[in-house]
Amino acid sequence: MPTLIRRLMFYAVTAFVAISVNFFLPHLMPGNPVQAMMAAAGPSLDHNSVAALEAQFGMGTGQSLMSQYWTYWGQLFQGNLGISVSHSPETVASVIGSALWWTVILVGTATVLSFIIGTLVGAMVGWKRGTVLDQVLPTATFFQAIPYFFLATVFLYFFAEQLHWFPADFKGYDTNNYVIGLNPGFIGSAIQHAVLPALTIVVSSVAGWIVGMRNMMVTTMDEDYVLVAQAKGLPNRRVIYYAARNAVLPSISGFANALSFVVAGSLLTELVFSYPGLGNLLLSAVTNVDYPLIQGIFLIITFAVLAANLLADTVYVLLDPRTRQEA
């Protein structure tokens, strides 16, 4: 797999550069980041937290910048991302871990559902072009054109406030009955609170997948191999499979880009529904000048983007044999 090996090397270099930028950016900023964080946090920081922050940013340690840089790499390999200012004395890793699962379940599930539904519907609309199925496009595009916060507010009013089908927010939500992670209690609670925000994400984003897949399907249907398959009398199901397998290739890259932002969360979604995800956490970290938490979140987002693109490259190689041929 020379293609995948080359891509792995590229992603390794990209990860190295991203981690280096993540370290040097706050260290090269003018002023004292520890004092800025102490001013924003007020009396909530104890002596131990201040000492940990000073050590993390090399204040008063006598270490050179490069020595701090290699120390940062060592701490990173140990999973140590520092102390969160706004959640002192909790570590950055524990704060991110508590919010990450909520975001993955919400935005991850909604993104995958949008892609699957949009791709399947788009393939059928492209196959049956010129029929009543074409009416799906203006309907889906209408919901995509509605501002998301307005659509989310309408759904919240009708389905949560009026019909009481779903929880309205997380006020008074008891988090003592589960452990955050891959366990039935947490997953069940997360799904219950994520259905309504996930529905708004799917409704507002599925149109893009439908239009993209439909247009590629229409183009693919005129290819010679599809016409030959139809002339040989192959079943429609087999012909659709051959056509859709090639038509979906451009959507794979788009899906990777969408999947890579799952970890970043949907900030607007989490604000409207008071959802305790990573997007809301990032906004809180910026508001509270929490440099260690901001660095940790950006690092997680970077790795998510690289992993999603690597997954897309792998799927691309499996679906398209031409990519496996060496130049």
Side-chain angles (χ1 to χ4, degrees), residues 6-50:
R6 287 196 297 269
R7 299 304 294 176
L8 280 173
M9 294 176 60
F10 169 77
Y11 289 131
V13 173
T14 305
F16 175 80
V17 173
I19 293 173
S20 300
V21 171
N22 196 48
F23 168 81
F24 283 112
L25 195 58
H27 284 76
L28 296 179
M29 290 177 61
N32 189 321
V34 176
Q35 291 182 355
M37 288 184 285
M38 290 175 59
S44 61
L45 283 179
D46 56 23
H47 177 73
N48 293 331
S49 298
V50 173

Side-chain angles (χ1 to χ4, degrees), residues 25 76 85 92 110 124 152-153 165 179 213 217 228 259 302:
L25 195 58
L76 194 62
V85 175
V92 171
M124 291 305 301
T153 304
W165 289 356
V179 177
M213 187 62 184
M217 196 70 177
V228 170
L259 199 62
T302 299

Side-chain angles (χ1 to χ4, degrees), residues 158-237:
F158 281 105
F159 295 116
E161 297 292 343
Q162 298 298 317
L163 299 177
H164 302 288
W165 289 356
F166 306 103
D169 53 32
F170 281 75
K171 292 180 180 179
Y173 183 59
D174 183 14
T175 59
N176 297 321
N177 295 328
Y178 65 83
V179 177
I180 295 178
L182 293 178
N183 61 83
F186 169 75
I187 293 176
S189 299
I191 290 177
Q192 180 186 8
H193 286 78
V195 169
L196 192 56
L199 179 63
T200 59
I201 296 175
V202 171
V203 170
S204 62
S205 63
V206 73
W209 300 114
I210 294 176
V211 172
M213 187 62 184
R214 185 258 182 195
N215 293 341
M216 286 303 303
M217 196 70 177
V218 169
T219 302
T220 305
M221 290 303 298
D222 294 330
E223 296 289 342
D224 292 340
Y225 68 91
V226 177
L227 298 177
V228 170
Q230 290 175 318
K232 287 183 175 181
L234 290 179
N236 285 338
R237 183 170 57 185

